[in-house]
Amino acid sequence: MSDSVNSSVQDAWYTYKGFQDDVVLSSNVQLSRNLANFPFPSKLHGRDGSRVQSIVFDAFNKLEDSEHYQAISVSNLDSLGSKILRERGFFGSASDKDINTENSGIILRTDGYISCTVNIIDHVRISSFSSGLDFDNVLNNSQGVDSQLQNYVQFAASYDFGYLTSSVMEAGSGIRLSIRTHLPSLSMLGCIKDTSEEMYKEGIVCSAPFGAGEFNSSLGSYYDFSLINCQSGSEFDQTASIVSVGKRLIEKERSARQECMRRFPSEIRNNLFRSLAIARSSLFISARDAINVIHCVKWGTDLEIIKGISDSELHALLYRIQEGHLEYVLKNGTFEFEEDITNTSRKIERLRALILQEAFEDINIAL
């Protein structure tokens, strides 16, 4: 099983160790741009949509490293392909209504660090991802592509408003910066609400990437923090703001770990032991349960209670246990399940359990 599973994720950006990735799992930059002389995607009519797509696809073919990019029309994607792209974050915050399958497209760099959507909310949305707190890397990647594209495409902009985007909040720099964090200790101490309200006053919004968990928390204590307004200062100012947020969250979470271990050592160990028992003993594991298990094991490693698995391996597991990825692995691999497991959804849950058991084989617990 392991060869089939690992071969599909071994080169993905999220498999690599990142700076301060015990708290900040990843950094993301999104640049929104629109072509001059065309209405926004929601207002495109006639052949304008296909013309925009052709112009952007052709521009990427002219980049210095064009051989490393693959352009795909959304109309050519099957439901599984779309699901996997959503799980990897390539469609960003776009909903189904934002995607016109006839004229939308996506361009992927082969290493997964850079992607670009076409005619989804804006004509062009360039995204770059990196593990840990690393905005130097993601900014260089996204701005490098943006700079090259401007040799072949004229983007809509004005001296008064900067880049023009479909959302007023994203006009100006057109840059959206965000981080994904893991904050279990702050969650246990009940500090998330105050922390998110504090950040909101500074123009930072908090969201739950995997949906809601129990007691008004985010599932798995994973939280995304992103800038609300792209007009709040220069790109340098905005970057400095999100980096400052990341550093403060790192400090807060690490300090909260010590407080949790002092106040709730038995509660914490109980959660860790139960999660490992679920992972090691279950034949079927749902996506929600898997996220909670990964969260608890990661918390255990950060508290130095658990040894034998790294933060980057646990980060990668969050993608490996997703529905679309497992469906793809199931479709392209050869697996022998128990005779009574014939339902596809049950096979996926069985495969998810096997992946977690394999990942946790070398885990040791400090009693």
Side-chain angles (χ1 to χ4, degrees):
M1 183 193 71
S2 59
D3 290 341
S4 299
V5 174
N6 291 333
S7 63
S8 62
V9 297
Q10 61 184 359
D11 295 324
W13 64 268
Y14 49 78
T15 62
Y16 296 100
K17 179 171 177 55
F19 180 62
Q20 312 282 30
D21 63 356
D22 59 315
V23 178
V24 178
L25 275 65
S26 61
S27 303
N28 172 234
V29 169
Q30 177 184 275
L31 298 180
S32 296
R33 303 285 187 260
N34 286 281
L35 274 61
N37 303 317
F38 285 94
F40 294 131
S42 63
K43 302 297 182 181
L44 289 169
H45 53 83
R47 295 186 55 81
D48 282 349
S50 61
R51 288 175 63 199
V52 169
Q53 187 188 85
S54 296
I55 290 169
V56 177
F57 280 9
D58 183 59
F60 268 91
N61 282 331
K62 296 175 181 177
L63 300 189
E64 295 173 358
D65 55 348
S66 60
E67 69 277 8
H68 297 301
Y69 290 93
Q70 179 183 14
I72 308 165
S73 294
V74 171
S75 59
N76 293 331
L77 287 172
D78 57 17
S79 59
L80 177 57
S82 296
K83 187 186 294 186
I84 291 172
L85 291 176
R86 282 195 180 281
E87 291 173 357
R88 301 286 176 92
F90 292 134
F91 284 139
S93 59
S95 62
D96 290 338
K97 68 179 181 179
D98 297 317
I99 302 176
N100 180 334
T101 55
E102 185 178 352
N103 298 316
S104 298
I106 185 164
I107 301 157
L108 303 174
R109 201 167 79 176
T110 50
D111 60 7
Y113 279 88
I114 298 176
S115 66
C116 175
T117 59
V118 182
N119 286 335
I120 299 178
I121 304 179
D122 289 293
H123 294 149
V124 172
R125 284 196 162 192
I126 304 164
S127 294
S128 179
F129 303 86
S130 184
S131 293
L133 187 61
D134 184 11
F135 280 98
D136 286 342
N137 188 34
V138 289
L139 276 169
N140 286 337
N141 283 337
S142 56
Q143 290 175 335
V145 173
D146 179 41
S147 177
Q148 287 194 69
L149 286 178
Q150 296 199 42
N151 292 323
Y152 311 105
V153 177
Q154 183 181 356
F155 291 135
S158 77
Y159 286 107
D160 294 327
F161 300 105
Y163 289 105
L164 304 182
T165 61
S166 58
S167 169
V168 174
M169 300 297 284
E170 295 183 359
S173 67
I175 191 170
R176 176 57 61 89
L177 307 166
S178 63
I179 53 175
R180 178 158 296 174
T181 63
H182 184 233
L183 307 173
S185 304
L186 288 172
S187 296
M188 188 173 204
L189 294 176
C191 298
I192 293 299
K193 182 180 179 181
D194 288 344
T195 299
S196 61
E197 288 177 353
E198 172 191 329
M199 299 298 180
Y200 189 78
K201 292 176 182 177
E202 300 177 24
I204 306 289
V205 65
C206 175
S207 60
F210 301 114
E214 296 180 344
F215 311 115
N216 298 317
S217 66
S218 175
L219 181 62
S221 296
Y222 294 101
Y223 295 90
D224 286 352
F225 291 86
S226 58
L227 287 170
I228 299 171
N229 191 339
C230 294
Q231 298 179 13
S232 56
S234 66
E235 292 182 8
F236 177 83
D237 294 331
Q238 293 173 53
T239 303
S241 178
I242 195 71
V243 170
S244 174
V245 165
K247 289 180 177 178
R248 281 154 55 196
L249 289 171
I250 290 167
E251 184 179 348
K252 283 174 176 284
E253 173 61 23
R254 289 175 178 170
S255 177
R257 285 176 196 160
Q258 300 174 20
E259 180 70 7
C260 285
M261 283 300 291
R262 185 181 66 81
R263 293 171 57 184
F264 313 112
S266 298
E267 190 73 28
I268 290 171
R269 290 181 182 277
N270 180 63
N271 288 339
L272 298 182
F273 297 158
R274 287 182 63 187
S275 295
L276 283 174
I278 289 171
R280 288 171 168 169
S281 304
S282 298
L283 293 180
F284 308 103
I285 297 182
S286 69
R288 285 183 63 87
D289 284 344
I291 289 170
N292 266 323
V293 166
I294 294 166
H295 138 69
C296 283
V297 173
K298 174 167 168 50
W299 196 17
T301 63
D302 295 333
L303 291 170
E304 299 185 348
I305 298 173
I306 289 177
K307 305 287 186 183
I309 192 166
S310 67
D311 283 313
S312 56
E313 289 173 306
L314 289 164
H315 187 197
L317 276 177
L318 289 172
Y319 293 89
R320 294 177 61 197
I321 55 86
Q322 295 296 324
E323 199 85 9
H325 173 73
L326 292 177
E327 191 176 336
Y328 174 84
V329 171
L330 194 62
K331 184 178 179 180
N332 291 276
T334 303
F335 305 97
E336 293 185 6
F337 295 101
E338 292 80 351
E339 290 184 4
D340 60 329
I341 304 177
T342 57
N343 182 281
T344 299
S345 62
R346 239 13 189 171
K347 286 182 178 180
I348 287 174
E349 290 185 337
R350 181 72 180 112
L351 185 56
R352 186 180 288 119
L354 290 170
I355 286 174
L356 289 181
Q357 287 161 15
E358 178 184 65
F360 297 163
E361 276 181 350
D362 298 325
I363 279 181
N364 296 309
I365 302 173
L367 296 175

